[in-house]
Amino acid sequence: AQKVTQAQTEISVVEKEDVTLDCVYETRDTTYYLFWYKQPPSGELVFLIRRNSFDEQNEISGRYSWNFQKSTSSFNFTITASQVVDSAVYFCALRIYNTDKLIFGTGTRLQVFP
Amino acid sequence: SQTIHQWPATLVQPVGSPLSLECTVEGTSNPNLYWYRQAAGRGLQLLFYSVGIGQISSEVPQNLSASRPQDRQFILSSKKLLLSDSGFYLCAWRIGATNEKLFFGSGTQLSVL
């Protein structure tokens, strides 16, 4: 069975600190996709990134970076120089190729204080 | 551009009352549509998804049902609400298998009292 684990329930940092959100997934399938979504206080989920299982290259987008390691089944998300606007719940998710089901982790609430 | 509308934003209903949450998508055709529930302190649980009019797949047995009467309309219903139905309900859509991004609506906070 597939599963996504976000062990960090809540993280608090002070502005400008770097913070890493952990995501560990479980699947026996060889082709799958991993996602990160941001849920600000407004409630609407915002797509951040998708990676497929054959692409282990790390990705950087501004202050955001993602570290995908198949050897440890992890897809961690790092925010560099965090800002108050980064405060939100962040969800990691897994989708198996050729299925419609997106399996979410329980989310990590990030609070960035000024 | 595509937009997704979900209403109402908040809803307080007594136990045993019926429920109808509506979601519509604009600016696209034949989207895959989804209903998720986010319970307090938990992740998002997929409830239903639909790949076309009248086609509904249920992920978990429950007190809820879904219908898709039109291409861009997805309705979540219940005949009699339970306390355990309380939660934050999110509608989402994507275009088939060619677009991996899942776009979410603004959600409905349902409180069953």
Side-chain angles (χ1 to χ4, degrees):
Chain A
Q2 297 86 22
K3 184 180 178 181
V4 176
T5 301
Q6 294 179 256
Q8 303 152 308
T9 306
E10 189 162 340
I11 301 176
S12 295
V13 298
V14 177
E15 218 171 10
K16 297 184 182 178
E17 284 185 22
D18 298 347
V19 57
T20 296
L21 309 181
D22 298 332
C23 173
V24 174
Y25 62 94
E26 296 175 29
T27 180
R28 293 183 180 178
D29 297 85
T30 56
T31 305
Y32 51 89
Y33 305 94
L34 295 165
F35 302 79
W36 275 95
Y37 281 85
K38 175 182 180 180
Q39 185 181 37
S42 60
E44 180 177 342
L45 269 77
V46 177
F47 169 86
L48 295 178
I49 190 173
R50 182 208 77 174
R51 303 296 281 174
N52 71 53
S53 53
F54 297 112
D55 184 2
E56 284 192 74
Q57 283 189 354
N58 291 331
E59 182 159 338
I60 298 175
S61 176
R63 296 184 297 107
Y64 295 171
S65 62
W66 290 269
N67 183 359
F68 176 29
Q69 292 195 4
K70 288 180 77 171
S71 60
T72 55
S73 297
S74 65
F75 187 42
N76 297 338
F77 173 31
T78 298
I79 302 175
T80 303
S82 59
Q83 300 176 1
V84 173
V85 294
D86 295 326
S87 297
V89 179
Y90 291 86
F91 290 96
C92 181
L94 164 73
R95 187 171 77 83
I96 306 304
Y97 176 71
N98 249 357
T99 69
D100 253 304
K101 185 175 180 178
L102 199 60
I103 302 160
F104 283 87
T106 51
T108 297
R109 180 178 298 278
L110 173 65
Q111 294 198 63
V112 182
F113 293 99
Chain B
S1 63
Q2 302 90 355
T3 57
I4 180 169
H5 301 280
Q6 189 180 340
W7 67 92
T10 59
L11 191 60
V12 180
Q13 293 283 102
V15 170
S17 63
L19 172 74
S20 181
L21 301 181
E22 189 161 343
C23 171
T24 59
V25 181
E26 295 178 0
T28 186
S29 60
N30 198 30
N32 286 9
L33 296 171
Y34 306 81
W35 277 111
Y36 280 87
R37 177 170 59 202
Q38 183 179 13
R42 296 187 178 181
L44 288 128
Q45 180 186 36
L46 178 63
L47 302 177
F48 301 95
Y49 69 92
S50 171
V51 298
I53 296 175
Q55 300 179 59
I56 307 295
S57 296
S58 174
E59 283 297 307
V60 293
Q62 57 199 307
N63 184 43
L64 303 168
S65 62
S67 61
R68 185 169 178 175
Q70 300 179 42
D71 180 44
R72 288 170 287 177
Q73 184 185 29
F74 204 24
I75 298 172
L76 184 69
S77 305
S78 173
K79 293 183 179 178
K80 290 185 178 181
L81 283 168
L82 305 172
L83 287 174
S84 57
D85 291 325
S86 295
F88 189 57
Y89 289 83
L90 287 154
C91 180
W93 73 274
R94 71 182 178 101
I95 294 295
T98 61
N99 187 338
E100 291 298 331
K101 294 182 183 180
L102 198 64
F103 297 94
F104 285 82
S106 53
T108 296
Q109 183 64 53
L110 172 66
S111 299
V112 183
L113 306 176

